[in-house]
Amino acid sequence: MDQERNEAPKSDGSESLLTVIIAFAMNVLIAVAKSAAAVLTGSASMVAEAVHSWADSGNEVFLLIAERRGGLGRDRAHPFGHGRETYIWSMFAAFGLFAVGAAVSVMHGITSLRDPEPDANYLVGYIVLAISFVLEGVSFLQSVRQAHAGGRRLSMHPLRFVSRTSNSTLRAVFFEDAAALTGLLIAAAGMALHEITGNAVYDAVGSILVGLLLGVIAIFLIQRNSQFLLGQPAMPVTRGTMLRFLLEHPDIDRVTYLHVEYVGPVQYYLVAAVDIRGDMREHDVAVLLRRIEAEIEQQDIIVEAVLTLSTADEPSLQP
């Protein structure tokens, strides 16, 4: 049952942690740069940008907690492990992106439309935006590299892989960084149009557009985390691999039902109805089913396996 590990091999846990740590470090540096620029220029726009970056840094703390808590194993109180905690803490980060990042940007843009800001120090603004773009790019390239590796293992486009993967921290960093880079370009365009025309409306509209972009990303992340918390079925390639694994077992004749569900990043709960070979006594069948379940759970990606018996009239599943 090796193929389904391709979504995220065992080393990918440390890779995801590295991705989040890099994102956190870059966001802190960006926040410091924007805060310094806000003090030097007195620009309200730069103050809002600094608040946004500090909020992003706080979101990365949630993702670091998600990586830490999600990696805890099974215990008596948590028979499925703590994998779903990853989606809970990632949900907090998504709410933070929506409540702080999107709301602050939109509200600041609306305020600027009502009360346009005077011309600020454009040179300092451009320098800070350029530095921010480079630092965000470093973080984004790390998440892109991880997405390319995961997509290549599953023969999927990196963007599709990031959208569907059970690795919520990778998805959050990837889309937050992509939105941040796009937002920096929008902010630079708004600042340039403000400088060229002398009309602060462009700056305000840019802030509103950035807020709307962050809002769309946040809603998408909230939706995906909700789906995994409610019970997201495994990818078809993973389900197919597990079906073949069961059918190749020497004691299983056929499989009539199979449900594979995520209970954490690359962690699965498996339920199957199987037809046992031969004609065994009820007690012997029960013992055999428990033994097969234990064999399946030896795979580190299977948190829990439950097998039941098929009836004669149930159709067989085909790999």
Side-chain angles (χ1 to χ4, degrees), residues 15-32 52-64 67 93 132 134-144 146 169-178 180:
E15 184 79 2
S16 296
L17 181 60
L18 176 63
T19 298
V20 177
I21 290 174
I22 290 176
F24 174 72
M26 295 302 104
N27 277 320
V28 169
L29 291 175
I30 292 168
V32 170
H52 178 194
S53 293
W54 283 116
D56 280 349
S57 301
N59 289 342
E60 303 305 333
V61 173
F62 285 130
L63 296 180
L64 287 171
E67 282 292 310
S132 300
V134 171
L135 294 177
E136 287 284 5
V138 171
S139 175
F140 185 59
L141 286 176
Q142 167 62 20
S143 61
V144 167
Q146 189 177 352
T169 55
L170 169 61
R171 178 167 39 250
V173 172
F174 182 93
F175 283 107
E176 286 181 12
D177 286 348

Side-chain angles (χ1 to χ4, degrees), residues 44-45 108-119 194 198-204:
S45 293
H108 174 73
I110 294 173
T111 301
S112 298
L113 284 175
R114 295 174 178 172
D115 185 18
E117 298 174 3
D119 290 349
H194 184 184
N199 191 343
V201 169
Y202 294 106
D203 220 349

Side-chain angles (χ1 to χ4, degrees), residues 262-280:
Y262 288 105
V263 291
V266 201
Q267 298 175 9
Y268 303 99
Y269 172 50
L270 183 151
V271 180
V274 300
D275 191 5
I276 298 298
R277 296 184 187 276
D279 187 12
M280 304 173 64

Side-chain angles (χ1 to χ4, degrees), residues 18-292:
L18 176 63
T19 298
V20 177
I21 290 174
I22 290 176
F24 174 72
M26 295 302 104
N27 277 320
V28 169
L29 291 175
I30 292 168
V32 170
K34 289 179 179 177
S35 298
V39 172
L40 292 174
T41 64
S43 168
S45 293
M46 200 56 69
V47 171
E49 279 293 311
V51 171
H52 178 194
S53 293
W54 283 116
D56 280 349
S57 301
N59 289 342
E60 303 305 333
V61 173
F62 285 130
L63 296 180
L64 287 171
I65 296 174
E67 282 292 310
R68 173 68 176 173
R69 295 292 303 173
L72 298 177
R74 300 170 60 178
D75 53 45
R76 183 171 297 178
H78 304 87
F80 288 159
H82 293 74
R84 282 192 171 128
E85 282 200 52
T86 302
Y87 307 121
I88 295 174
W89 291 101
S90 296
M91 183 81 81
F92 289 157
F95 276 125
L97 180 66
F98 184 84
V100 180
V104 168
S105 296
V106 171
M107 291 175 61
H108 174 73
I110 294 173
T111 301
S112 298
L113 284 175
R114 295 174 178 172
D115 185 18
E117 298 174 3
D119 290 349
N121 189 327
Y122 294 107
L123 178 59
V124 173
Y126 290 135
I127 291 174
V128 170
L129 289 176
I131 292 174
S132 300
F133 194 88
V134 171
L135 294 177
E136 287 284 5
V138 171
S139 175
F140 185 59
L141 286 176
Q142 167 62 20
S143 61
V144 167
R145 187 179 71 83
Q146 189 177 352
H148 268 285
R152 185 167 55 250
R153 290 190 294 266
L154 283 177
S155 300
M156 297 172 63
H157 188 279
L159 187 59
R160 185 165 181 260
F161 172 78
V162 171
S163 298
R164 299 193 62 184
T165 181
S166 60
N167 189 335
S168 61
T169 55
L170 169 61
R171 178 167 39 250
V173 172
F174 182 93
F175 283 107
E176 286 181 12
D177 286 348
L181 289 171
T182 305
L184 288 170
L185 293 176
I186 294 173
M191 187 182 297
L193 289 171
H194 184 184
E195 180 182 12
I196 293 170
T197 65
N199 191 343
V201 169
Y202 294 106
D203 220 349
V205 170
S207 181
I208 293 173
L209 290 176
V210 170
L212 294 176
L213 173 65
L214 294 176
V216 170
I217 295 298
I219 291 172
F220 169 71
L221 294 176
I222 290 171
Q223 180 190 37
R224 289 299 287 140
N225 283 308
S226 298
Q227 289 170 340
F228 279 98
L229 283 171
L230 291 173
Q232 175 75 20
M235 292 185 187
V237 63
T238 299
R239 184 179 182 278
T241 301
M242 293 187 180
L243 176 58
R244 288 191 295 272
F245 174 83
L246 291 173
L247 291 174
E248 291 170 0
H249 194 282
D251 294 312
I252 295 178
D253 184 42
R254 62 193 186 101
V255 178
T256 60
Y257 174 82
L258 177 62
H259 176 73
V260 185
E261 180 180 309
Y262 288 105
V263 291
V266 201
Q267 298 175 9
Y268 303 99
Y269 172 50
L270 183 151
V271 180
V274 300
D275 191 5
I276 298 298
R277 296 184 187 276
D279 187 12
M280 304 173 64
R281 294 182 304 169
E282 180 180 350
H283 172 75
D284 294 333
V285 170
V287 172
L288 178 59
L289 288 178
R290 299 294 86 78
R291 180 171 63 80
I292 297 175

